[in-house]
Amino acid sequence: MFKRVVRQSKFRHVFGQAVKNDQCYDDIRVSRVTWDSAFCAVNPKFVAIIVEASGGGAFMVLPLHKSGRIDKAYPTVCGHTGPVLDIDWCPHNDQVIASGSEDCTVMVWQIPENGLVTSMSEPVVVLEGHSKRVGIVTWHPTARNVLLSAGCDNVVIIWNVGTGEAMITLEDMHPDIIFSVCWNRNGSLICTACKDKKVRVIDPRKEEIIAEKDKAHEGARPMRAIFLSDGKVFTTGFSRMSERQLGLWDPDNMEEPVSVHEMDTSNGVLLPFYDPDTNVVYLCGKGDSSIRYFEITDEAPFVHYLNTFTTKEPQRGMGYMPKRGLDVNKCEIARFYKLHERKCEPIIMTVPRKSDLFQDDLYPDTAGPEAPLEAEDWFKGKNGDPILISLKHAYVPGKNRDITVVKKNILDNKMSKNTENTAPAVKTATSTPSIKNEAKLEEVLKEMKSLRELVSSQEKRIAKLEEQLSKMDI
């Protein structure tokens, strides 16, 4: 498939491993809707999965530690009146998630800190502006409260979630269905892949197309386009002979690709997941049973095949954990959440290392949860690079996953703006055992409180059912 040359790379020996059965999430009815999105979104606290729902659309939000068999009566987020097509966690608040649906709306939800106790049907805000189903939702990487949505009306809308307003509407740029939209590293540009076989690089605030490439992939099946950290665009699509292809493009010169590779003749759409810290792209084909990964460098052939992780079961969707949710002690460089028909299976990618010390070459500073810009600043024309955090101290192993998570509600305009930098996170991680014990105690108390609430709600439900049963007996 690729000319394999022995090349120096620390990622040559990356290997994937599925977790044991007891760490999977079982008995989940994954959505069967025919739409080429990932169906799964993950952050350091929760995994969200779009599920089958009668009479509307729903997705499930599970705390990461809640593995095992999931009860059929487990609460869902069920406010949409049509199937949910795409979900995305806010990068600046691990309790806020956006969803797009066939009911033409986008909804933004605030998940309780310890997960759902009862089903949630009231979103924090409903964003209405699309005339057809909304298949893509994606948060701005550096500006707080900015959300992009794209619908089958071929329109891209950028919202200020804090006010619920559609601030930018890109109407006449796409003559056909938009397959994918991706922000660049600092959120100043977007790139889109469309059914008209064009890849476009757009400045959304100026509402103008900066670069475009016609027939980036000549096949008729769906394409995907993502930005890399150096500004290049990586695409996946199909050739005229229905072979799957990868392409690398420079927006300054879109006439000729930097690199194009043919892969295989499978017909599943390739979902690309990119790690900007290591420059590794993972490709997960819908309906495939493998994850291929490639390293992108400045030397020819630019896209270097690394390896393939293969399992027996085909994947229905895939979630990708942000870097700050990984276990640095195990040299974990990526974690996927693979959706089967009835379960979600975490897959861990690691670089084998003999030393137990922190591997700073694998973990350069990564984008943290703090937003460098407010929505209003971005709409006025300001740009900001992600605020980076070190993973050396911030994420210690064990249950205390929420050390550096920003806990304030970004959607509450009354709360004062958070001006903390990343230093307190480091202090927390390296603080005395007594503070750790207090944090653990607090976590246990919160868990008990949520369990109490669950028990009381179930008692009420049982009483109501007994009452109905006694009426039936009469």
Side-chain angles (χ1 to χ4, degrees):
M1 183 173 68
F2 286 88
K3 190 172 81 173
R4 294 197 185 182
V5 179
V6 177
R7 185 181 62 87
Q8 280 299 100
S9 168
K10 54 184 168 250
F11 305 111
R12 253 182 61 210
H13 302 292
V14 169
F15 72 97
Q17 196 170 14
V19 301
K20 291 175 183 169
N21 272 344
D22 61 343
Q23 290 171 287
C24 295
Y25 306 88
D26 273 316
D27 220 8
I28 295 168
R29 294 187 305 154
V30 176
S31 175
R32 294 172 178 274
V33 69
T34 51
W35 187 253
D36 288 319
S37 75
F39 287 179
C40 181
V42 197
N43 71 17
K45 276 189 161 189
F46 300 108
V47 53
I49 301 161
I50 302 174
V51 292
E52 284 285 285
S54 52
F59 59 95
M60 195 174 264
V61 176
L62 301 167
L64 287 187
H65 59 79
K66 192 174 170 50
S67 51
R69 188 178 169 278
I70 306 301
D71 196 305
K72 280 190 174 66
Y74 194 84
T76 57
V77 180
C78 53
H80 285 286
T81 56
V84 177
L85 301 178
D86 196 18
I87 48 177
D88 192 33
W89 287 105
C90 175
H92 309 124
N93 185 330
D94 287 342
Q95 287 163 236
V96 171
I97 187 167
S99 58
S101 164
E102 267 188 27
D103 64 12
C104 309
T105 65
V106 176
M107 293 184 180
V108 178
W109 310 84
Q110 176 93 24
I111 306 299
E113 194 172 348
N114 295 313
L116 296 175
V117 177
T118 57
S119 286
M120 183 180 277
S121 57
E122 289 297 316
V124 177
V125 62
V126 181
L127 306 172
E128 294 175 312
H130 288 283
S131 57
K132 289 189 180 173
R133 60 185 180 165
V134 183
I136 298 167
V137 288
T138 175
W139 291 90
H140 192 284
T142 58
R144 196 190 308 277
N145 281 359
V146 177
L147 178 68
L148 178 148
S149 64
C152 291
D153 50 5
N154 313 334
V155 174
V156 173
I157 300 178
I158 299 174
W159 309 85
N160 181 343
V161 175
T163 59
E165 292 173 282
M167 304 295 285
I168 297 169
T169 305
L170 308 175
E171 283 184 281
D172 304 318
M173 293 185 176
H174 301 90
D176 214 326
I177 287 177
I178 301 163
F179 288 138
S180 79
V181 183
C182 178
W183 294 97
N184 68 348
R185 180 91 164 137
N186 70 356
S188 58
L189 302 172
I190 58 172
C191 70
T192 66
C194 180
K195 199 176 181 180
D196 66 355
K197 300 183 186 175
K198 284 188 180 179
V199 170
R200 296 171 174 84
V201 176
I202 299 167
D203 185 327
R205 288 170 296 192
K206 290 181 182 169
E207 300 190 17
E208 63 182 46
I209 296 170
I210 288 175
E212 66 179 354
K213 171 62 182 167
D214 192 17
K215 293 186 178 170
H217 297 281
E218 294 195 5
R221 290 189 55 73
M223 290 194 296
R224 284 281 186 279
I226 58 169
F227 264 117
L228 304 182
S229 55
D230 62 358
K232 289 192 180 73
V233 174
F234 181 87
T235 60
T236 65
F238 293 80
S239 70
R240 197 183 286 139
M241 306 300 291
S242 289
E243 287 181 304
R244 293 201 288 197
Q245 289 181 321
L246 322 175
L248 187 63
W249 309 84
D250 186 345
D252 297 331
N253 176 21
M254 292 285 270
E255 285 307 303
E256 286 299 314
V258 177
S259 171
V260 168
H261 291 296
E262 259 84 32
M263 275 177 50
D264 56 20
T265 51
S266 181
N267 62 358
V269 176
L270 286 167
L271 304 176
F273 296 96
Y274 172 61
D275 178 359
D277 304 328
T278 58
N279 255 341
V280 175
V281 172
Y282 302 86
L283 298 182
C284 310
K286 270 208 145 181
D288 286 11
S289 50
S290 61
I291 300 171
R292 292 180 178 85
Y293 32 108
F294 300 81
E295 187 178 1
I296 295 168
T297 65
D298 295 332
E299 56 192 70
F302 305 105
V303 180
H304 305 272
Y305 172 75
L306 289 172
N307 212 334
T308 303
F309 167 77
T310 311
T311 53
K312 292 175 185 173
E313 296 285 324
Q315 54 229 18
R316 296 276 296 272
M318 194 68 81
Y320 179 62
M321 174 68 82
K323 208 59 174 283
R324 60 196 175 88
L326 302 180
D327 187 344
V328 296
N329 294 42
K330 292 180 181 171
C331 295
E332 186 181 358
I333 63 159
R335 193 189 310 159
F336 291 93
Y337 285 73
K338 173 181 169 179
L339 300 186
H340 299 244
E341 205 168 317
R342 300 283 301 194
K343 77 169 179 181
C344 172
E345 176 185 43
I347 291 165
I348 290 165
M349 301 281 180
T350 44
V351 176
R353 291 281 165 97
K354 288 178 180 173
S355 169
D356 289 336
L357 299 173
F358 178 74
Q359 307 291 319
D360 49 10
D361 61 325
L362 297 182
Y363 301 106
D365 288 357
T366 191
E370 187 62 45
L373 290 176
E374 295 298 326
E376 293 74 19
D377 299 333
W378 185 78
F379 287 114
K380 283 175 189 166
K382 284 186 184 173
N383 290 324
D385 288 326
I387 294 175
L388 303 181
I389 57 169
S390 168
L391 296 178
K392 190 163 188 174
H393 304 292
Y395 280 81
V396 291
K399 287 186 179 176
N400 210 357
R401 285 185 174 274
D402 57 347
I403 291 169
T404 59
V405 171
V406 176
K407 290 186 180 176
K408 72 166 196 165
N409 175 3
I410 59 161
L411 301 164
D412 189 349
N413 295 330
K414 291 173 193 170
M415 291 187 87
S416 59
K417 290 178 184 176
N418 190 355
T419 54
E420 283 178 33
N421 57 17
T422 53
V426 177
K427 280 182 197 167
T428 315
T430 54
S431 57
T432 56
S434 64
I435 295 174
K436 277 189 186 177
N437 292 340
E438 279 174 29
K440 278 187 180 175
L441 185 65
E442 201 177 317
E443 198 176 308
V444 170
L445 289 170
K446 278 178 187 168
E447 192 76 28
M448 280 172 67
K449 190 182 174 188
S450 67
L451 284 169
R452 269 202 206 104
E453 286 170 5
L454 182 63
V455 168
S456 68
S457 69
Q458 294 292 356
E459 279 174 353
K460 284 174 190 170
R461 186 164 169 265
I462 290 164
K464 200 183 279 184
L465 288 169
E466 282 174 345
E467 197 180 316
Q468 287 173 355
L469 197 64
S470 65
K471 284 176 185 173
M472 283 168 70
D473 290 346
I474 292 162

